[in-house]
Amino acid sequence: MDCDKCGDEAVLHAAYSGLHLCESHFRRSVEKRVRRRIREDALLADDATPEDPETWVIGLSGGKDSVVLTRILQDTFAEDPRVELVALTIHEGIEGYRDRSLEACLDLADPLGIRHEVVSYEEEFGLRMDDVAREDPEGMAPCAYCGVFRRDLLSKYAEEFEADKLLTGHNLDDEAQTALMNVLEGDVSQIAKHFDASLGSFEEREDADEAFVPRAKPLRDIPEREVALYAHLRDLPTHMAECPHASEAYRGEIQELLHGLEENHPGTRHSIMAGYEELAAVVAERYRGEGGPDLGECERCGATTTGEYCRKCQLVEAVHEADAGVDAD
Ligand code: SF4
């Protein structure tokens, strides 16, 4: 097939738009959609100046999504003194997995001259995900622990680096899956939180909770397959292996469901997100008015929490206790 724009050989047929695109027009199309999302989300505040720039911390895992996001942001803002980029990699302590993806992060960030910071569960919490998966004191999937630990470190270091925004590489498939899971679980407050935490433009979110560094997902209009193709065509350093502890069974089911729907009804993911965002904006507005639970500080680590100890500190303690019990046997 030929490119609908120039007649060169097409590398992609996007069924949802009907377009065939060659390499050059496909790359431009991805970059254009990411930049439009940044504009529409009002990511760069009007009052950012070269003297008082915004700091954007990017969660860089070495997977295709965060690598593509980092590369496009660097291409877009390298010459813009109103933005400073900091890449932050979380090392979970997973044998044979994270060390290799860390190499991909270094291969990307070093030549581009991006400030790159690495923090680990081992240094921060005295544990590795391999230990957590083995001990499993709460009878949960490994990803349930890992998600709590990762969110804690991203928030902690975004604050430490005085970030104005925390950016992650979630793509259209990730977001449509989360939207569908929230709806199917009937969790309306979660839909409100999803909007205030990372959807919608910053103008719409201005009344949202200020206890956390606000998040943004500039790749959320790009389907996963296109992110992978973009990384491949630009020969970006990525680590594609799957984590040995990957365990989000419900998300996997939703992913399969969405693949089937998209194949039979191209554009399903886009229409889910269009409707969900509009709905989430209304729900967020309503929930903000009602006020949430009282937020305080964790007595152990000082993180924002509704209880005496935050969830991360509770889980860290449970893993250490289980580990000590095994050692004592
Ligand atoms: Fe952590 Fe699960 Fe991701 Fe592995 S797949 S890094 S355990 S969240």
Side-chain angles (χ1 to χ4, degrees), residues 177-208:
Q177 288 159 20
T178 301
L180 211 50
M181 284 163 75
N182 286 343
V183 171
L184 293 179
E185 285 166 1
D187 195 341
V188 180
S189 70
Q190 194 57 35
I191 294 173
K193 275 191 217 152
H194 189 193
F195 184 84
D196 276 342
S198 57
L199 299 177
S201 95
F202 279 87
E203 283 155 4
E204 287 172 291
R205 286 200 255 157
E206 61 191 6
D207 298 329

Side-chain angles (χ1 to χ4, degrees), residues 178-179 182-183 191 194 199 271-281:
T178 301
N182 286 343
V183 171
I191 294 173
H194 189 193
L199 299 177
S271 55
I272 286 176
M273 285 316 293
Y276 177 83
E277 278 196 44
E278 202 174 328
L279 176 78

Side-chain angles (χ1 to χ4, degrees), residues 92 94 97-98 129 142-143 146-147 150 243 245-247:
E92 299 93 346
I94 300 169
Y97 172 71
R98 191 47 85 203
M129 265 315 291
C143 296
C146 198
R150 183 184 298 111
C243 168
H245 303 308
S247 54

Side-chain angles (χ1 to χ4, degrees), residues 11 22-32 34-35 64 66-78 107-108 111-112 114 219 225-238:
V11 293
C22 67
E23 176 172 346
S24 158
H25 280 102
F26 165 68
R27 280 174 49 170
R28 266 191 268 169
S29 151
V30 170
E31 290 153 10
K32 206 167 134 190
V34 173
R35 287 171 190 147
K64 63 182 186 324
S66 61
V67 163
V68 166
L69 173 63
T70 305
R71 181 69 227 213
I72 293 178
L73 288 173
Q74 173 70 4
D75 291 343
T76 308
F77 293 103
D107 288 347
L108 178 79
L112 293 176
I114 297 178
L219 291 191
R225 186 168 77 105
E226 294 183 35
V227 177
L229 180 60
Y230 184 92
H232 170 72
L233 292 172
R234 289 199 67 176
D235 200 19
L236 298 177
T238 57

Side-chain angles (χ1 to χ4, degrees), residues 3 15 30 100 104 149 228 256 309 322:
C3 175
V30 170
R100 263 182 258 147
F149 297 153
E256 294 246 317
Y309 300 110

